[in-house]
Short mmCIF file of all heavy atoms in Angstrom, two decimals:
data_model
loop_
_atom_site.label_atom_id
_atom_site.label_comp_id
_atom_site.label_asym_id
_atom_site.label_seq_id
_atom_site.Cartn_x
_atom_site.Cartn_y
_atom_site.Cartn_z
N ALA A 1051 -13.80 23.17 -20.99
CA ALA A 1051 -14.95 24.09 -21.09
C ALA A 1051 -16.03 23.59 -20.14
O ALA A 1051 -16.34 22.41 -20.12
CB ALA A 1051 -15.47 24.12 -22.51
N GLN A 1052 -16.59 24.49 -19.36
CA GLN A 1052 -17.61 24.10 -18.38
C GLN A 1052 -18.84 24.98 -18.53
O GLN A 1052 -18.75 26.11 -19.01
CB GLN A 1052 -17.05 24.27 -16.97
CG GLN A 1052 -16.01 23.24 -16.60
CD GLN A 1052 -16.64 21.89 -16.30
OE1 GLN A 1052 -17.54 21.77 -15.47
NE2 GLN A 1052 -16.17 20.85 -16.98
N MET A 1053 -19.97 24.43 -18.09
CA MET A 1053 -21.22 25.17 -18.21
C MET A 1053 -21.79 25.48 -16.82
O MET A 1053 -21.73 24.64 -15.92
CB MET A 1053 -22.22 24.34 -19.00
CG MET A 1053 -23.51 25.06 -19.30
SD MET A 1053 -24.28 24.43 -20.78
CE MET A 1053 -25.83 25.34 -20.72
N ILE A 1054 -22.31 26.68 -16.67
CA ILE A 1054 -23.04 27.05 -15.45
C ILE A 1054 -24.51 27.16 -15.84
O ILE A 1054 -24.86 27.94 -16.72
CB ILE A 1054 -22.55 28.40 -14.89
CG1 ILE A 1054 -21.08 28.28 -14.51
CG2 ILE A 1054 -23.37 28.83 -13.71
CD1 ILE A 1054 -20.46 29.62 -14.12
N PHE A 1055 -25.33 26.36 -15.17
CA PHE A 1055 -26.74 26.33 -15.55
C PHE A 1055 -27.51 27.41 -14.79
O PHE A 1055 -27.07 27.94 -13.78
CB PHE A 1055 -27.33 24.95 -15.26
CG PHE A 1055 -26.76 23.88 -16.15
CD1 PHE A 1055 -25.67 23.13 -15.74
CD2 PHE A 1055 -27.29 23.65 -17.40
CE1 PHE A 1055 -25.13 22.16 -16.56
CE2 PHE A 1055 -26.74 22.68 -18.23
CZ PHE A 1055 -25.67 21.93 -17.82
N GLN A 1056 -28.71 27.65 -15.33
CA GLN A 1056 -29.55 28.73 -14.84
C GLN A 1056 -30.05 28.47 -13.41
O GLN A 1056 -30.09 29.39 -12.60
CB GLN A 1056 -30.74 28.81 -15.79
CG GLN A 1056 -31.76 29.83 -15.46
CD GLN A 1056 -32.84 29.86 -16.53
OE1 GLN A 1056 -32.94 28.98 -17.37
NE2 GLN A 1056 -33.65 30.88 -16.51
N ASP A 1057 -30.41 27.22 -13.13
CA ASP A 1057 -31.14 26.94 -11.90
C ASP A 1057 -30.23 26.25 -10.87
O ASP A 1057 -29.99 25.06 -10.97
CB ASP A 1057 -32.34 26.05 -12.23
CG ASP A 1057 -33.24 25.87 -11.02
OD1 ASP A 1057 -32.83 26.23 -9.91
OD2 ASP A 1057 -34.36 25.35 -11.20
N PRO A 1058 -29.76 26.99 -9.87
CA PRO A 1058 -28.86 26.37 -8.88
C PRO A 1058 -29.58 25.35 -8.01
O PRO A 1058 -28.94 24.60 -7.29
CB PRO A 1058 -28.36 27.56 -8.06
CG PRO A 1058 -29.38 28.61 -8.22
CD PRO A 1058 -30.03 28.41 -9.56
N TYR A 1059 -30.91 25.35 -8.05
CA TYR A 1059 -31.66 24.38 -7.24
C TYR A 1059 -31.69 23.02 -7.93
O TYR A 1059 -31.63 21.98 -7.30
CB TYR A 1059 -33.09 24.89 -7.02
CG TYR A 1059 -33.10 26.16 -6.21
CD1 TYR A 1059 -32.98 27.39 -6.84
CD2 TYR A 1059 -33.18 26.14 -4.83
CE1 TYR A 1059 -32.93 28.57 -6.12
CE2 TYR A 1059 -33.14 27.31 -4.09
CZ TYR A 1059 -33.02 28.52 -4.74
OH TYR A 1059 -32.97 29.68 -4.02
N GLU A 1060 -31.77 23.03 -9.26
CA GLU A 1060 -31.88 21.77 -10.00
C GLU A 1060 -30.52 21.21 -10.39
O GLU A 1060 -30.40 20.02 -10.65
CB GLU A 1060 -32.71 21.97 -11.27
CG GLU A 1060 -34.17 22.17 -10.95
CD GLU A 1060 -35.09 21.61 -11.99
OE1 GLU A 1060 -34.64 21.48 -13.14
OE2 GLU A 1060 -36.25 21.33 -11.65
N SER A 1061 -29.50 22.08 -10.50
CA SER A 1061 -28.24 21.57 -11.03
C SER A 1061 -27.33 20.96 -9.96
O SER A 1061 -26.25 20.50 -10.25
CB SER A 1061 -27.50 22.66 -11.80
OG SER A 1061 -27.35 23.82 -11.03
N LEU A 1062 -27.80 20.95 -8.69
CA LEU A 1062 -27.00 20.32 -7.63
C LEU A 1062 -27.71 19.06 -7.14
O LEU A 1062 -28.92 19.08 -6.89
CB LEU A 1062 -26.81 21.30 -6.46
CG LEU A 1062 -26.03 22.58 -6.77
CD1 LEU A 1062 -25.99 23.47 -5.53
CD2 LEU A 1062 -24.63 22.27 -7.25
N ASN A 1063 -26.96 17.99 -6.97
CA ASN A 1063 -27.51 16.74 -6.45
C ASN A 1063 -27.88 16.93 -4.98
O ASN A 1063 -27.00 17.15 -4.15
CB ASN A 1063 -26.45 15.64 -6.63
CG ASN A 1063 -26.92 14.30 -6.07
OD1 ASN A 1063 -27.98 14.20 -5.46
ND2 ASN A 1063 -26.11 13.28 -6.28
N PRO A 1064 -29.18 16.83 -4.63
CA PRO A 1064 -29.57 17.13 -3.24
C PRO A 1064 -29.02 16.13 -2.23
O PRO A 1064 -28.96 16.40 -1.04
CB PRO A 1064 -31.10 17.06 -3.29
CG PRO A 1064 -31.43 16.25 -4.50
CD PRO A 1064 -30.31 16.44 -5.48
N ARG A 1065 -28.60 14.93 -2.71
CA ARG A 1065 -28.11 13.90 -1.77
C ARG A 1065 -26.60 13.95 -1.57
O ARG A 1065 -26.05 13.19 -0.79
CB ARG A 1065 -28.51 12.51 -2.29
CG ARG A 1065 -30.00 12.29 -2.23
CD ARG A 1065 -30.34 10.83 -2.48
NE ARG A 1065 -31.78 10.69 -2.61
CZ ARG A 1065 -32.43 10.87 -3.73
NH1 ARG A 1065 -31.79 11.16 -4.83
NH2 ARG A 1065 -33.74 10.76 -3.77
N ALA A 1066 -25.93 14.80 -2.32
CA ALA A 1066 -24.46 14.85 -2.22
C ALA A 1066 -24.05 16.04 -1.35
O ALA A 1066 -24.73 17.08 -1.33
CB ALA A 1066 -23.85 14.99 -3.60
N THR A 1067 -22.95 15.88 -0.63
CA THR A 1067 -22.42 17.01 0.14
C THR A 1067 -21.75 17.99 -0.82
O THR A 1067 -21.43 17.64 -1.97
CB THR A 1067 -21.37 16.55 1.18
OG1 THR A 1067 -20.26 15.98 0.46
CG2 THR A 1067 -21.95 15.51 2.13
N ILE A 1068 -21.51 19.19 -0.33
CA ILE A 1068 -20.87 20.21 -1.18
C ILE A 1068 -19.48 19.72 -1.61
O ILE A 1068 -19.08 19.91 -2.76
CB ILE A 1068 -20.77 21.55 -0.41
CG1 ILE A 1068 -22.17 22.03 0.01
CG2 ILE A 1068 -20.04 22.61 -1.25
CD1 ILE A 1068 -23.20 22.12 -1.08
N PHE A 1069 -18.77 19.04 -0.70
CA PHE A 1069 -17.46 18.52 -1.08
C PHE A 1069 -17.59 17.53 -2.25
O PHE A 1069 -16.85 17.62 -3.24
CB PHE A 1069 -16.77 17.82 0.11
CG PHE A 1069 -15.41 17.30 -0.26
CD1 PHE A 1069 -14.28 18.11 -0.18
CD2 PHE A 1069 -15.25 15.99 -0.74
CE1 PHE A 1069 -13.04 17.63 -0.57
CE2 PHE A 1069 -14.00 15.52 -1.13
CZ PHE A 1069 -12.89 16.34 -1.03
N GLU A 1070 -18.54 16.61 -2.12
CA GLU A 1070 -18.72 15.60 -3.19
C GLU A 1070 -19.10 16.25 -4.51
O GLU A 1070 -18.63 15.85 -5.58
CB GLU A 1070 -19.80 14.58 -2.78
CG GLU A 1070 -19.36 13.66 -1.66
CD GLU A 1070 -20.52 12.90 -1.03
OE1 GLU A 1070 -21.69 13.34 -1.13
OE2 GLU A 1070 -20.25 11.86 -0.41
N ILE A 1071 -19.96 17.28 -4.44
CA ILE A 1071 -20.41 17.96 -5.67
C ILE A 1071 -19.22 18.62 -6.37
O ILE A 1071 -19.04 18.48 -7.58
CB ILE A 1071 -21.50 19.01 -5.33
CG1 ILE A 1071 -22.79 18.29 -4.94
CG2 ILE A 1071 -21.74 19.95 -6.50
CD1 ILE A 1071 -23.85 19.20 -4.32
N VAL A 1072 -18.40 19.34 -5.60
CA VAL A 1072 -17.30 20.08 -6.23
C VAL A 1072 -16.19 19.13 -6.67
O VAL A 1072 -15.51 19.36 -7.68
CB VAL A 1072 -16.78 21.19 -5.27
CG1 VAL A 1072 -15.61 21.94 -5.90
CG2 VAL A 1072 -17.91 22.17 -4.94
N ALA A 1073 -16.03 18.02 -5.94
CA ALA A 1073 -14.97 17.06 -6.31
C ALA A 1073 -15.38 16.18 -7.50
O ALA A 1073 -14.51 15.59 -8.15
CB ALA A 1073 -14.64 16.16 -5.12
N GLU A 1074 -16.67 16.10 -7.79
CA GLU A 1074 -17.14 15.16 -8.81
C GLU A 1074 -16.47 15.32 -10.18
O GLU A 1074 -16.05 14.32 -10.79
CB GLU A 1074 -18.67 15.24 -8.96
CG GLU A 1074 -19.19 14.11 -9.82
CD GLU A 1074 -20.67 14.20 -10.07
OE1 GLU A 1074 -21.32 15.12 -9.54
OE2 GLU A 1074 -21.17 13.35 -10.83
N PRO A 1075 -16.32 16.55 -10.70
CA PRO A 1075 -15.65 16.67 -12.01
C PRO A 1075 -14.23 16.08 -12.00
O PRO A 1075 -13.78 15.52 -12.99
CB PRO A 1075 -15.62 18.17 -12.27
CG PRO A 1075 -16.71 18.74 -11.42
CD PRO A 1075 -16.78 17.86 -10.22
N LEU A 1076 -13.55 16.21 -10.86
CA LEU A 1076 -12.18 15.64 -10.76
C LEU A 1076 -12.25 14.11 -10.84
O LEU A 1076 -11.40 13.47 -11.47
CB LEU A 1076 -11.53 16.07 -9.44
CG LEU A 1076 -11.34 17.57 -9.23
CD1 LEU A 1076 -10.88 17.86 -7.81
CD2 LEU A 1076 -10.31 18.12 -10.23
N VAL A 1077 -13.29 13.54 -10.20
CA VAL A 1077 -13.46 12.08 -10.21
C VAL A 1077 -13.79 11.62 -11.62
O VAL A 1077 -13.17 10.70 -12.16
CB VAL A 1077 -14.59 11.67 -9.22
CG1 VAL A 1077 -14.84 10.16 -9.29
CG2 VAL A 1077 -14.23 12.09 -7.80
N VAL A 1078 -14.77 12.30 -12.24
CA VAL A 1078 -15.23 11.91 -13.59
C VAL A 1078 -14.07 11.93 -14.58
O VAL A 1078 -13.94 11.04 -15.44
CB VAL A 1078 -16.38 12.85 -14.06
CG1 VAL A 1078 -16.68 12.65 -15.54
CG2 VAL A 1078 -17.62 12.60 -13.22
N HIS A 1079 -13.22 12.92 -14.48
CA HIS A 1079 -12.12 13.06 -15.44
C HIS A 1079 -10.83 12.39 -14.96
O HIS A 1079 -9.79 12.52 -15.61
CB HIS A 1079 -11.87 14.55 -15.76
CG HIS A 1079 -12.99 15.15 -16.55
ND1 HIS A 1079 -13.11 14.98 -17.92
CD2 HIS A 1079 -14.06 15.89 -16.17
CE1 HIS A 1079 -14.20 15.60 -18.34
NE2 HIS A 1079 -14.79 16.16 -17.30
#
Side-chain angles (χ1 to χ4, degrees):
Q1052 288 285 306
M1053 186 153 173
I1054 298 172
F1055 293 93
Q1056 178 177 13
D1057 187 348
Y1059 296 87
E1060 289 213 337
S1061 53
L1062 297 177
N1063 178 354
R1065 292 191 188 85
T1067 63
I1068 302 307
F1069 180 87
E1070 289 166 338
I1071 289 168
V1072 178
E1074 190 184 358
L1076 299 171
V1077 176
V1078 169
H1079 291 280

